[in-house]
Amino acid sequence: MADIGKRIRMRREAVGLTQEGLAEKLGYKNKTSITKIENGTNDIPQSKVVEIAKALDTTVAYLMGWDWDVVNMDLTDMESNVISAYREKPEKQHIINQYLGIWDNAESNSEDRSKLDDMELLEKYHSLDTYGKTMVDMVIANEYARSKDQNAASHLMPVAAHNDATQNKEEQALMQEDLNEL
């Protein structure tokens, strides 16, 4: 039972739920029951396994640790490796799900979208021919240098100074001369 508790904890953390949050979704009064389930202290009734799987947006098969052979699917070695890698990294699953377009967007946030955008840009870059990659590299290098120069030179920008003190005519004349020189 400890293995199911471990998978529940991993999946709960992967979807960003606290123990309190999962307890609330399952109708428990507090997180104590979730702690005991995750530690393997409490046995879980079959009906609760189904509820937990739904609350964590996963399958009973995943929580139970059943092999894919139990599901009786005809998979290639590569497909089996991909599924195994996917299952071993629940903290990354939401990114893959979004990339494949199979996520409900409830877990989507700006960081995930940014990672997806980066992945799409890399995909596009890798599909370019040599000339295209050279052009992109050149633009990036030039823009990086420009941005870096612009940020470095920002301290050279003039700052306006105001003198709210009353000035006599002589001070006003000196200031006017300074302005005329500009």
Side-chain angles (χ1 to χ4, degrees), residues 50-173:
V50 173
E51 287 181 46
I52 292 169
K54 286 180 183 177
L56 297 176
D57 196 25
T58 191
T59 64
V60 171
Y62 169 75
L63 294 180
M64 297 300 293
W66 293 335
D67 290 331
W68 283 99
D69 294 340
V70 173
V71 182
N72 198 18
M73 294 179 72
D74 213 11
L75 301 174
T76 66
D77 286 342
M78 178 56 89
E79 290 168 332
S80 185
N81 290 340
V82 168
I83 291 169
S84 294
Y86 178 84
R87 290 176 68 196
E88 290 170 7
K89 301 272 188 187
E91 70 278 3
K92 305 283 185 190
Q93 290 174 359
H94 63 286
I95 296 170
I96 302 301
N97 291 344
Q98 285 179 333
Y99 181 74
L100 295 174
I102 56 173
W103 203 246
D104 65 1
N105 289 333
E107 303 299 325
S108 180
N109 62 41
S110 61
E111 185 178 323
D112 293 335
R113 284 192 297 274
S114 177
K115 287 177 185 176
L116 272 176
D117 292 344
D118 291 350
M119 287 170 51
E120 288 173 7
L121 287 173
L122 282 172
E123 238 180 62
K124 289 177 182 178
Y125 178 82
H126 289 299
S127 69
L128 295 173
D129 61 9
T130 305
Y131 176 78
K133 287 178 182 175
T134 302
M135 295 304 293
V136 169
D137 293 343
M138 185 177 64
V139 169
I140 289 173
N142 288 337
E143 283 302 303
Y144 177 76
R146 183 194 60 78
S147 176
K148 191 173 177 184
D149 289 344
Q150 189 175 13
N151 289 337
S154 66
H155 71 281
L156 300 175
M157 297 295 285
V159 177
H162 299 278
N163 186 350
D164 294 335
T166 308
Q167 300 153 352
N168 61 34
K169 292 200 185 261
E170 185 179 326
E171 287 176 340
Q172 288 178 352

